[in-house]
Short mmCIF file of all heavy atoms in Angstrom, two decimals:
data_model
loop_
_atom_site.label_atom_id
_atom_site.label_comp_id
_atom_site.label_asym_id
_atom_site.label_seq_id
_atom_site.Cartn_x
_atom_site.Cartn_y
_atom_site.Cartn_z
N HIS A 280 -17.47 -21.14 13.40
CA HIS A 280 -17.94 -19.79 13.05
C HIS A 280 -17.09 -18.76 13.79
O HIS A 280 -16.63 -18.99 14.91
CB HIS A 280 -19.41 -19.60 13.41
CG HIS A 280 -20.02 -18.38 12.79
ND1 HIS A 280 -19.86 -17.12 13.30
CD2 HIS A 280 -20.76 -18.23 11.66
CE1 HIS A 280 -20.49 -16.24 12.53
NE2 HIS A 280 -21.05 -16.90 11.53
N PHE A 281 -16.88 -17.63 13.14
CA PHE A 281 -16.08 -16.56 13.71
C PHE A 281 -16.54 -16.20 15.13
O PHE A 281 -15.71 -16.02 16.03
CB PHE A 281 -16.14 -15.33 12.81
CG PHE A 281 -15.26 -14.20 13.25
CD1 PHE A 281 -13.92 -14.17 12.90
CD2 PHE A 281 -15.76 -13.15 14.02
CE1 PHE A 281 -13.09 -13.13 13.31
CE2 PHE A 281 -14.95 -12.11 14.44
CZ PHE A 281 -13.61 -12.09 14.08
N ALA A 282 -17.86 -16.13 15.33
CA ALA A 282 -18.39 -15.77 16.64
C ALA A 282 -18.00 -16.82 17.68
O ALA A 282 -17.63 -16.49 18.82
CB ALA A 282 -19.91 -15.62 16.58
N ASP A 283 -18.05 -18.10 17.29
CA ASP A 283 -17.65 -19.17 18.21
C ASP A 283 -16.14 -19.14 18.43
O ASP A 283 -15.65 -19.45 19.52
CB ASP A 283 -18.07 -20.53 17.65
CG ASP A 283 -19.58 -20.62 17.50
OD1 ASP A 283 -20.29 -20.06 18.37
OD2 ASP A 283 -20.06 -21.22 16.52
N ALA A 284 -15.40 -18.80 17.36
CA ALA A 284 -13.94 -18.74 17.47
C ALA A 284 -13.54 -17.72 18.52
O ALA A 284 -12.64 -17.97 19.34
CB ALA A 284 -13.33 -18.40 16.11
N LEU A 285 -14.20 -16.58 18.52
CA LEU A 285 -13.89 -15.56 19.53
C LEU A 285 -14.13 -16.11 20.94
O LEU A 285 -13.34 -15.89 21.85
CB LEU A 285 -14.76 -14.31 19.31
CG LEU A 285 -14.44 -13.45 18.08
CD1 LEU A 285 -15.39 -12.26 18.02
CD2 LEU A 285 -12.99 -12.98 18.07
N ARG A 286 -15.24 -16.84 21.10
CA ARG A 286 -15.54 -17.44 22.41
C ARG A 286 -14.46 -18.43 22.81
O ARG A 286 -13.99 -18.43 23.95
CB ARG A 286 -16.90 -18.17 22.34
CG ARG A 286 -18.02 -17.45 23.08
CD ARG A 286 -19.24 -18.35 23.29
NE ARG A 286 -19.71 -19.00 22.08
CZ ARG A 286 -20.52 -18.42 21.20
NH1 ARG A 286 -20.95 -17.18 21.40
NH2 ARG A 286 -20.91 -19.07 20.12
N ILE A 287 -14.06 -19.27 21.83
CA ILE A 287 -13.07 -20.33 22.14
C ILE A 287 -11.76 -19.73 22.63
O ILE A 287 -11.12 -20.25 23.55
CB ILE A 287 -12.85 -21.22 20.89
CG1 ILE A 287 -14.10 -22.09 20.65
CG2 ILE A 287 -11.61 -22.09 21.04
CD1 ILE A 287 -14.15 -22.73 19.29
N VAL A 288 -11.34 -18.63 22.00
CA VAL A 288 -10.05 -18.04 22.39
C VAL A 288 -10.21 -17.02 23.51
O VAL A 288 -9.23 -16.43 23.96
CB VAL A 288 -9.33 -17.39 21.19
CG1 VAL A 288 -9.09 -18.42 20.09
CG2 VAL A 288 -10.12 -16.20 20.64
N GLY A 289 -11.46 -16.80 23.95
CA GLY A 289 -11.68 -15.87 25.05
C GLY A 289 -11.57 -14.40 24.68
O GLY A 289 -11.24 -13.57 25.53
N ALA A 290 -11.83 -14.09 23.42
CA ALA A 290 -11.79 -12.69 22.99
C ALA A 290 -13.17 -12.05 23.15
O ALA A 290 -14.18 -12.74 23.26
CB ALA A 290 -11.34 -12.60 21.54
N ALA A 291 -13.20 -10.73 23.15
CA ALA A 291 -14.46 -10.00 23.26
C ALA A 291 -15.31 -10.28 22.03
O ALA A 291 -14.78 -10.42 20.93
CB ALA A 291 -14.19 -8.51 23.38
N PRO A 292 -16.65 -10.40 22.22
CA PRO A 292 -17.53 -10.80 21.11
C PRO A 292 -17.63 -9.74 20.00
O PRO A 292 -18.18 -10.04 18.95
CB PRO A 292 -18.89 -11.01 21.79
CG PRO A 292 -18.80 -10.28 23.08
CD PRO A 292 -17.37 -10.25 23.50
N ASP A 293 -17.11 -8.53 20.24
CA ASP A 293 -17.18 -7.52 19.18
C ASP A 293 -15.84 -7.31 18.49
O ASP A 293 -15.66 -6.36 17.75
CB ASP A 293 -17.70 -6.19 19.75
CG ASP A 293 -16.79 -5.69 20.86
OD1 ASP A 293 -15.92 -6.47 21.33
OD2 ASP A 293 -16.94 -4.51 21.25
N GLU A 294 -14.89 -8.20 18.74
CA GLU A 294 -13.60 -8.13 18.02
C GLU A 294 -13.86 -8.28 16.52
O GLU A 294 -14.57 -9.20 16.12
CB GLU A 294 -12.66 -9.24 18.49
CG GLU A 294 -11.95 -8.97 19.80
CD GLU A 294 -10.88 -7.90 19.66
OE1 GLU A 294 -10.31 -7.75 18.57
OE2 GLU A 294 -10.64 -7.19 20.67
N PRO A 295 -13.27 -7.42 15.69
CA PRO A 295 -13.55 -7.52 14.25
C PRO A 295 -12.64 -8.51 13.52
O PRO A 295 -12.89 -8.85 12.37
CB PRO A 295 -13.29 -6.11 13.76
CG PRO A 295 -12.25 -5.57 14.69
CD PRO A 295 -12.44 -6.26 16.02
N ASP A 296 -11.59 -8.95 14.18
CA ASP A 296 -10.61 -9.80 13.48
C ASP A 296 -9.93 -10.71 14.50
O ASP A 296 -10.05 -10.50 15.71
CB ASP A 296 -9.57 -8.92 12.78
CG ASP A 296 -9.05 -9.58 11.50
OD1 ASP A 296 -9.23 -10.80 11.34
OD2 ASP A 296 -8.47 -8.86 10.68
N LEU A 297 -9.22 -11.71 14.00
CA LEU A 297 -8.47 -12.59 14.89
C LEU A 297 -7.02 -12.11 14.96
O LEU A 297 -6.40 -11.82 13.94
CB LEU A 297 -8.49 -14.03 14.36
CG LEU A 297 -9.85 -14.72 14.33
CD1 LEU A 297 -9.73 -16.08 13.66
CD2 LEU A 297 -10.39 -14.88 15.75
N GLU A 298 -6.50 -12.05 16.17
CA GLU A 298 -5.10 -11.70 16.32
C GLU A 298 -4.23 -12.93 16.14
O GLU A 298 -4.72 -14.06 16.24
CB GLU A 298 -4.87 -11.10 17.71
CG GLU A 298 -5.55 -9.74 17.85
CD GLU A 298 -5.40 -9.17 19.24
OE1 GLU A 298 -4.57 -9.70 20.01
OE2 GLU A 298 -6.12 -8.20 19.54
N PRO A 299 -2.93 -12.74 15.85
CA PRO A 299 -2.04 -13.89 15.66
C PRO A 299 -2.12 -14.91 16.80
O PRO A 299 -2.16 -16.12 16.55
CB PRO A 299 -0.65 -13.24 15.60
CG PRO A 299 -0.91 -11.88 15.02
CD PRO A 299 -2.25 -11.46 15.57
N ALA A 300 -2.20 -14.43 18.04
CA ALA A 300 -2.30 -15.37 19.17
C ALA A 300 -3.61 -16.17 19.10
O ALA A 300 -3.65 -17.34 19.46
CB ALA A 300 -2.22 -14.61 20.49
N HIS A 301 -4.68 -15.52 18.63
CA HIS A 301 -5.96 -16.23 18.47
C HIS A 301 -5.83 -17.33 17.42
O HIS A 301 -6.35 -18.44 17.59
CB HIS A 301 -7.06 -15.26 18.03
CG HIS A 301 -7.36 -14.19 19.05
ND1 HIS A 301 -7.88 -12.97 18.69
CD2 HIS A 301 -7.19 -14.16 20.39
CE1 HIS A 301 -8.04 -12.23 19.78
NE2 HIS A 301 -7.63 -12.93 20.82
N GLU A 302 -5.16 -17.00 16.33
CA GLU A 302 -5.01 -17.99 15.25
C GLU A 302 -4.23 -19.21 15.75
O GLU A 302 -4.58 -20.35 15.44
CB GLU A 302 -4.32 -17.36 14.03
CG GLU A 302 -5.17 -16.26 13.37
CD GLU A 302 -4.54 -15.69 12.11
OE1 GLU A 302 -3.34 -15.92 11.85
OE2 GLU A 302 -5.26 -14.99 11.38
N ALA A 304 -4.04 -20.23 18.86
CA ALA A 304 -4.88 -20.96 19.82
C ALA A 304 -5.95 -21.78 19.09
O ALA A 304 -6.24 -22.93 19.47
CB ALA A 304 -5.54 -19.98 20.78
N LEU A 305 -6.50 -21.23 18.03
CA LEU A 305 -7.53 -21.96 17.28
C LEU A 305 -6.95 -23.18 16.59
O LEU A 305 -7.59 -24.23 16.51
CB LEU A 305 -8.19 -21.03 16.26
CG LEU A 305 -9.19 -20.03 16.85
CD1 LEU A 305 -9.54 -18.96 15.83
CD2 LEU A 305 -10.45 -20.75 17.33
N TRP A 341 -22.58 -11.00 9.54
CA TRP A 341 -21.54 -11.99 9.22
C TRP A 341 -21.49 -12.22 7.71
O TRP A 341 -22.41 -11.84 7.00
CB TRP A 341 -21.82 -13.32 9.93
CG TRP A 341 -22.06 -13.20 11.40
CD1 TRP A 341 -23.20 -13.49 12.05
CD2 TRP A 341 -21.13 -12.77 12.40
NE1 TRP A 341 -23.06 -13.28 13.40
CE2 TRP A 341 -21.79 -12.83 13.65
CE3 TRP A 341 -19.80 -12.33 12.38
CZ2 TRP A 341 -21.19 -12.48 14.84
CZ3 TRP A 341 -19.18 -11.97 13.57
CH2 TRP A 341 -19.88 -12.06 14.79
#
Side-chain angles (χ1 to χ4, degrees):
Chain A
H280 194 280
F281 185 84
D283 298 324
L285 290 180
R286 253 194 308 277
I287 289 165
V288 301
D293 59 348
E294 281 289 331
D296 211 342
L297 295 174
E298 291 177 14
H301 297 154
E302 294 184 346
L305 284 167
W341 309 116

